[in-house]
């Protein structure tokens, strides 16, 4: 029952993306959550490290997309120097915007991985859409209140997941 919240891969941060696994699976498009996945939610602009990472991934041939439930201003400002595809008010865990983004990038669900920090929005969304689900640890503890409430439940899901992986 909890499986729909379990990631396919769990990483500490986006600089540890499982590129070998992506290659093995034929992943061609990477869809990133922004807040607490790529940057703290209160940092408006992408920093040099993120810009370099996105540049590197593009050079590796990946199509890149930001998919955020946050508003237009936040997403467009953050994407300014990244020049990825950018989708705001994505309505995750709803899959409609993700499916539109995959269509626009010309990739299938099997060729797509979603990278995010929240089990109940990002990972659930990825599974519903049938794309690879990559969970990162949240970048920092400065969460918006509604997110804070979810973290407690999230920890319980992740404990169950880790027990499963240890078997
Ligand atoms: Mg997030």
């Amino acid at each position: 029952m909890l499986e729909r919240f379990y990631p396919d891969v769990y990483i500490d941060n986006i600089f540890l993306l499982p590129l070998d696994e992506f290659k093995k699976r034929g992943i061609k498009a990477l869809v990133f959550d922004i807040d607490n996945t790529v940057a703290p939610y209160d940092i408006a602009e992408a920093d040099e490290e993120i810009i370099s990472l996105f540049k590197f991934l593009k050079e590796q041939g990946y199509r890149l997309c930001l998919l955020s439930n946050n508003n237009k201003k936040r997403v467009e400002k953050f994407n300014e120097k990244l020049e990825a595809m950018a989708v705001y008010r994505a309505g995750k865990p709803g899959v409609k915007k993700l499916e539109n983004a995959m269509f626009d990038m010309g990739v299938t669900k099997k060729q797509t991985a979603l990278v995010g920090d929240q089990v109940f929005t990002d990972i659930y969304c990825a599974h519903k859409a049938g794309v690879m689900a990559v969970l990162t640890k949240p970048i920092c503890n400065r969460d918006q209140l509604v997110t804070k409430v979810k973290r407690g439940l999230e920890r319980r899901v992740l404990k169950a997941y880790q027990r499963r992986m240890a078997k």
Side-chain angles (χ1 to χ4, degrees), residues 18-167:
L19 296 178
D20 290 342
E21 182 69 19
F22 287 165
K23 203 170 233 177
K24 228 189 282 168
R25 291 182 182 229
I27 298 293
K28 293 190 162 48
L30 303 177
V31 178
F32 292 91
D33 169 53
I34 299 178
D35 295 331
N36 268 336
T37 295
V38 180
Y41 82 91
D42 52 359
I43 298 296
E45 290 183 44
D47 65 16
E48 284 307 318
E49 277 188 309
I50 302 295
I51 295 167
S52 305
L53 175 66
F54 271 51
K55 193 163 163 270
F56 167 79
L57 291 170
K58 274 183 203 168
E59 285 163 3
Q60 299 293 304
Y62 290 104
R63 268 152 266 182
L64 304 179
C65 176
L66 297 171
L67 185 80
S68 171
N69 283 357
N70 215 322
N71 61 43
K72 181 172 191 224
K73 195 174 152 224
R74 167 27 162 189
V75 174
E76 287 186 349
K77 181 78 189 160
F78 192 81
N79 189 40
E80 237 165 44
K81 291 180 186 149
L82 295 179
E83 297 172 347
M85 180 186 285
V87 181
Y88 55 89
R89 296 213 186 285
K92 292 174 287 183
V95 298
K96 188 94 201 88
K97 297 276 181 85
L98 171 58
E99 286 172 349
N100 290 346
M102 288 193 282
F103 180 82
D104 291 343
M105 289 189 285
V107 292
T108 66
K109 57 188 178 183
K110 293 261 176 249
Q111 296 171 324
T112 304
L114 190 152
V115 185
D117 70 301
Q118 287 198 60
V119 163
F120 302 118
T121 52
D122 303 307
I123 300 307
Y124 188 29
C125 174
H127 287 317
K128 282 206 288 185
V131 309
M132 184 182 177
V134 180
L135 182 69
T136 64
K137 288 189 179 149
I139 286 179
C140 75
N141 298 320
R142 296 197 304 280
D143 268 323
Q144 285 162 303
L145 183 62
V146 52
T147 309
K148 251 182 206 156
V149 173
K150 282 193 282 184
R151 293 287 180 207
L153 293 169
E154 215 160 52
R155 270 194 293 276
R156 285 160 66 178
V157 171
L158 288 173
K159 262 189 198 141
Y161 166 71
Q162 276 153 348
R163 274 200 302 273
R164 161 78 59 90
M165 296 311 280
K167 274 181 196 166

